[in-house]
Amino acid sequence: MKRRTFLATAAASTAFLSAATPQYRMGVATTCYLSYLRPRDAHAFLELCAERGAGGVQSMLPADPAKFRARCEQLGMFYEAMLPLSPDVEAMRSSIRKAKESGAVACRVGALSGRRYETFATMDDWKKFVADARAKITAASKAAEAEKMTLGLENHKDWTLEDALGLMKEFGHEHFGMLLDTGNNLSLLDNPYEFVEKLAPYTTVTHLKDMAWQEHPTGFEMSEMTFGEGQLDMKRIIDTIRKARPRTNMVLEMITRNPLVVPCLTEKYWATMPQRSAVFLANTLRMVRENKPAKPLPRMDQLSSEQRLKLEDENVKTCLRVAKEQYGL
């Protein structure tokens, strides 16, 4: 089934849905489908997730805010907007207002779209990024406070635990906190449970993902897995966030793709993290070696385009089902 046909079928099948309670409480981020389906329309993505019973969506801004908001209300689903960062406070406020018009209850922002150890080759490059990011984070924090809208800054393989805590202590407030991604900081050698425990009090938005890992000649590989198939204790993680921030929505980010290599045994990897001690490396590699996956990490190379598209969707469906059955979502 082609991507266009897939989206059209999903939209058509939900065209006559009336007001109802979603089957699941957990929402779905558009990034769950960016490997193969690659949705570009918020309205179509909402219908796709409604058909799958999701409690809400986290996606781009819709073309028709009023129509989108009305549809979310009809479906009983929450909406979280994905917004770009800007160093201009008024530009940020304008984006937030559009999100409000669309019915958003929170917004996701991110400073880096790539990975720290791949994007920056020198400490000077990293410092320039940090200076630019701080200007944007300052504007976002001020705009969130002015508009009384909840924003979450994602830990997108950029900020270490120390970095993130520092940003929250400096810029965090009632309306500005973290989008806590439960898997990303493995790539920066942070302990996943310590990361969640220390940042849970600041967590306003989430990306829930289970992870599996295995050794690689340059460090280790890691993959998003369906809940229960990975090596993280997701119940412990979710309970920690719920206890600290019971009103924060739980949103799935299950990305179907080849494993990501974390080259922590290469020189370039450490170019922007000279202050991190060998303890981080030792603890992470010990975890990788002592907690092996039950089977090799999944790879997409041998699958056809149609098989990849189907697997991506099945992975989301499985996560929604398991989250309800095992985590009360």
Side-chain angles (χ1 to χ4, degrees):
M1 184 180 291
K2 301 299 183 182
R3 184 175 70 90
R4 185 178 300 175
T5 305
F6 191 100
L7 281 171
T9 302
S13 65
T14 54
F16 301 102
L17 283 175
S18 59
T21 300
Q23 184 178 355
Y24 307 107
R25 293 170 56 192
M26 186 169 63
V28 175
T30 187
T31 38
C32 287
Y33 287 97
L34 285 189
S35 293
Y36 306 112
L37 184 61
R38 298 175 185 170
R40 293 291 183 267
D41 178 81
H43 298 269
F45 183 68
L46 176 66
E47 300 297 343
L48 175 75
C49 293
E51 184 187 74
R52 279 136 191 79
V57 293
Q58 186 187 106
S59 71
M60 68 292 284
L61 289 170
D64 188 332
K67 179 181 177 182
F68 186 86
R69 179 173 189 156
R71 186 62 173 149
C72 284
E73 292 174 354
Q74 181 186 36
L75 294 168
M77 297 171 66
F78 67 82
Y79 170 54
E80 296 181 347
M82 290 183 166
L83 302 181
L85 276 178
S86 168
D88 186 302
V89 176
E90 288 308 311
M92 285 302 311
R93 292 188 69 174
S94 177
S95 293
I96 290 172
R97 291 189 196 107
K98 291 177 183 177
K100 281 183 173 181
E101 291 172 13
S102 305
V105 296
C107 302
R108 176 267 182 198
V109 293
L112 182 68
S113 59
R115 304 169 189 117
R116 178 171 176 167
Y117 46 89
E118 294 175 350
T119 305
F120 308 105
T122 68
M123 196 63 182
D124 286 342
D125 292 339
W126 170 252
K127 287 180 178 178
K128 183 180 184 304
F129 162 77
V130 171
D132 292 341
R134 284 177 59 84
K136 295 176 182 179
I137 293 168
T138 299
S141 178
K142 291 180 178 178
E145 188 169 28
E147 294 294 332
K148 300 297 186 287
M149 168 60 84
T150 299
L151 263 65
L153 174 70
E154 182 173 359
N155 53 299
H156 196 276
K157 300 183 177 73
D158 44 10
W159 312 114
T160 65
L161 174 57
E162 297 88 349
D163 294 333
L165 284 172
L167 290 171
M168 289 299 99
K169 289 173 182 177
E170 184 174 359
F171 299 105
H173 53 72
E174 179 185 359
H175 300 289
F176 188 79
M178 288 295 300
L179 182 157
L180 180 55
D181 185 295
T182 61
N184 279 350
N185 271 64
L186 281 167
S187 68
L188 298 181
L189 312 184
D190 282 312
N191 179 283
Y193 303 110
E194 180 186 12
F195 192 86
V196 170
E197 287 161 8
K198 290 190 175 179
L199 285 173
Y202 303 98
T203 298
T204 55
V205 190
T206 60
H207 277 170
L208 300 182
K209 56 179 65 165
D210 198 351
M211 305 295 297
W213 49 78
Q214 63 187 19
E215 291 185 71
H216 183 272
T218 65
F220 64 97
E221 295 178 305
M222 64 182 200
S223 285
E224 289 91 340
M225 306 291 288
T226 55
F227 290 149
E229 292 293 317
Q231 291 154 274
L232 292 179
D233 184 343
M234 292 306 300
K235 186 178 188 307
R236 173 181 172 181
I237 287 171
I238 291 168
D239 287 348
T240 299
I241 299 172
R242 278 172 153 175
K243 182 177 179 180
R245 301 291 296 230
R247 298 181 63 183
T248 295
N249 287 319
M250 298 295 165
V251 176
L252 174 69
E253 188 183 51
M254 165 69 227
I255 304 178
T256 301
R257 57 185 170 186
N258 283 332
L260 299 176
V261 176
V262 181
C264 57
L265 296 178
T266 65
E267 185 175 352
K268 182 185 175 183
Y269 178 89
W270 295 95
T272 66
M273 294 186 287
Q275 77 283 6
R276 302 220 95 181
S277 72
V279 172
F280 291 94
L281 177 63
N283 287 342
T284 301
L285 291 183
R286 185 185 307 114
M287 179 186 72
V288 169
R289 291 168 182 172
E290 292 179 354
N291 298 277
K292 298 182 183 299
K295 55 186 177 180
L297 304 188
R299 298 182 185 274
M300 306 299 113
D301 302 332
Q302 303 304 314
L303 302 181
S304 68
S305 296
E306 291 186 0
Q307 287 173 326
R308 293 174 186 177
L309 182 65
K310 181 179 180 181
L311 178 62
E312 183 177 61
D313 191 44
E314 288 301 322
N315 283 344
V316 171
K317 292 178 181 178
T318 297
C319 285
L320 287 169
R321 176 180 54 79
V322 173
K324 179 177 182 179
E325 293 174 353
Q326 298 187 17
Y327 315 137
L329 298 176

